[in-house]
């Protein structure tokens, strides 16, 4: 170990840290959520987008409903105890197949979660009609998690562009008026405490009549920032006891994400929803291959998941 540590830097070797200690890993322990990235195209460009989504980024291309079906079949074949199918982007409602992609897992009895900015792509008449049809049949089995970076309009717009706050609230009001189940995702970049953030959102929800419990971390997620310039420690196998945490607490213990890369013939499965461009987190084309352990060999594993304690799932 010590000889090897002399030759490597931080987050370089899958099994060993720069100090020569055994790197922590996470085993898949009862997969609860299978994510699909519907494509990295988005209607806006955010300052700190985790996967650099924008109107021009098509590094992850649109997935289709038949491709979703193939993985839903594999869930059954592998006896994965998945209860939730989740969709992220980019902006999922830009994908022309999105309504069919939502309907299929709902018909199979899964809970479905969609991460959206609730802006113009969601408000197109065709999409609205499709969502209303799904609501009529499946009700609260469908949850839309809205990205609202801050309860203060000015701070939200600093991240997402002038006017974006008002447009998102218009979309949320439409969801409210039609009885959709909503959750919310905010950001911790602004330096607020967890308590003050939740109090601020709670006041907004009350004033708008949004039935979202700001005190419930499953219904209102506050994501820590993933700043590449910030030094973070590598996570070793001994860290679990030191931190009082378990590998089962980390997101990759219970979820995987399917993406389709530009120019690829088939989708692939990733260990993490937040690292779509890191080759070492690509596990293969099938869920069987995705049952392998995940080495926590990235600064975001430490900053976001282990130390930040964040999870994308509901």
């Amino acid at each position: 170990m010590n000889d090897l540590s002399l030759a490597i830097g931080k987050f370089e070797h899958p099994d060993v840290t720069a100090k020569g200690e055994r790197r922590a890993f996470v085993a898949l322990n009862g997969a609860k959520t299978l994510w699909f990235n519907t494509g990295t195209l988005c209607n806006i460009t955010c300052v700190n987008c985790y996967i650099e989504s924008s109107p021009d980024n098509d590094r992850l291309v649109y997935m289709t409903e038949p491709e979703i079906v193939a993985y839903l079949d594999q869930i059954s074949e592998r006896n994965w105890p998945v209860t939730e199918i989740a969709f992220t982007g980019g902006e999922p409602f830009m994908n022309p197949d999105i309504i069919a992609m939502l309907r299929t897992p709902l018909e199979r009895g899964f809970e479905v979660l969609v991460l959206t900015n609730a802006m113009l792509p969601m408000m197109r008449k065709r999409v609205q009609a499709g969502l209303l049809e799904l609501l009529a049949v499946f009700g609260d089995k469908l949850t839309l998690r809205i990205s609202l970076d801050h309860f203060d309009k000015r701070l939200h717009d600093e991240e997402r562009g002038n006017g974006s706050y008002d447009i998102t609230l218009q979309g949320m009001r439409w969801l409210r008026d039609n009885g959709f189940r909503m959750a919310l995702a905010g950001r911790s970049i602004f330096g607020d405490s967890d308590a003050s953030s939740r109090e601020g959102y709670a006041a907004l929800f009350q004033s708008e009549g949004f039935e979202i419990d700001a005190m419930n971390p499953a219904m209102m997620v506050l994501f820590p920032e993933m700043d590449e310039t910030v030094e973070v420690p590598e996570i070793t196998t001994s860290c679990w006891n030191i931190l009082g945490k378990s590998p089962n607490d980390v997101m990759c213990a219970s979820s995987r994400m399917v993406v389709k890369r530009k120019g690829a013939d088939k989708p692939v499965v990733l260990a993490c929803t937040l690292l779509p461009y890191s080759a070492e987190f690509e596990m293969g084309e099938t869920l069987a291959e995705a049952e392998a352990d995940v080495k926590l060999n990235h600064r975001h594993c430490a900053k976001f998941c282990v130390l930040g304690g964040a999870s994308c799932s509901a």
Side-chain angles (χ1 to χ4, degrees), residues 48-122:
N48 287 299
C49 180
Y50 295 139
I51 61 171
E52 303 169 4
S53 298
S54 75
D56 303 314
N57 182 3
D58 61 352
R59 292 172 69 183
L60 303 181
V61 297
Y62 287 150
M63 292 195 67
T64 65
E65 191 266 346
E67 289 169 334
I68 301 297
V69 168
Y71 284 96
L72 298 182
D73 290 343
Q74 289 180 51
I75 290 174
S76 299
E77 293 163 5
R78 304 297 302 173
N79 291 315
W80 280 23
V82 169
T83 57
E84 177 186 61
I85 302 298
F87 296 88
T88 185
E91 169 51 50
F93 288 109
M94 289 182 67
N95 186 309
D97 226 11
I98 186 61
I99 297 300
M101 291 163 67
L102 301 181
R103 181 182 294 109
T104 296
L106 286 166
E107 289 176 340
R108 295 196 182 197
F110 293 102
E111 302 277 343
V112 169
L113 174 69
V114 190
L115 277 56
T116 176
N117 56 38
M119 296 177 76
L120 298 181
M122 190 196 78

Side-chain angles (χ1 to χ4, degrees), residues 148 150-153 165 169 172-173 176 184 197-210 212 214:
L148 192 71
H150 200 274
F151 51 83
D152 181 274
K153 174 180 176 177
Y165 181 93
L169 255 64
M172 293 180 72
R173 290 168 186 145
R176 174 201 65 196
L184 190 133
S197 289
R198 293 186 183 280
E199 289 169 2
Y201 279 106
L204 172 65
F205 297 161
Q206 183 175 17
S207 68
E208 290 285 348
F210 297 149
I212 305 171

Side-chain angles (χ1 to χ4, degrees), residues 14 28 31 36 70 85 96 115 119 123 134-135 144-145 150 156 188 201 220 240 274 287-288 298 311:
L28 187 65
F36 292 95
I85 302 298
L115 277 56
M119 296 177 76
M123 296 298 286
L134 295 179
L135 178 67
L144 290 93
R145 181 189 289 166
H150 200 274
H156 174 89
S188 64
Y201 279 106
M220 201 195 82
W240 302 121
L274 304 169
L287 296 189
H298 197 286
S311 174

Side-chain angles (χ1 to χ4, degrees), residues 286-308:
T286 68
L287 296 189
E289 294 168 285
E291 291 170 359
D293 295 343
V294 178
K295 312 292 179 63
L296 300 185
N297 190 27
H298 197 286
R299 64 181 59 251
H300 294 341
C301 301
K303 172 69 174 176
F304 191 88
C305 291
V306 178
L307 301 176

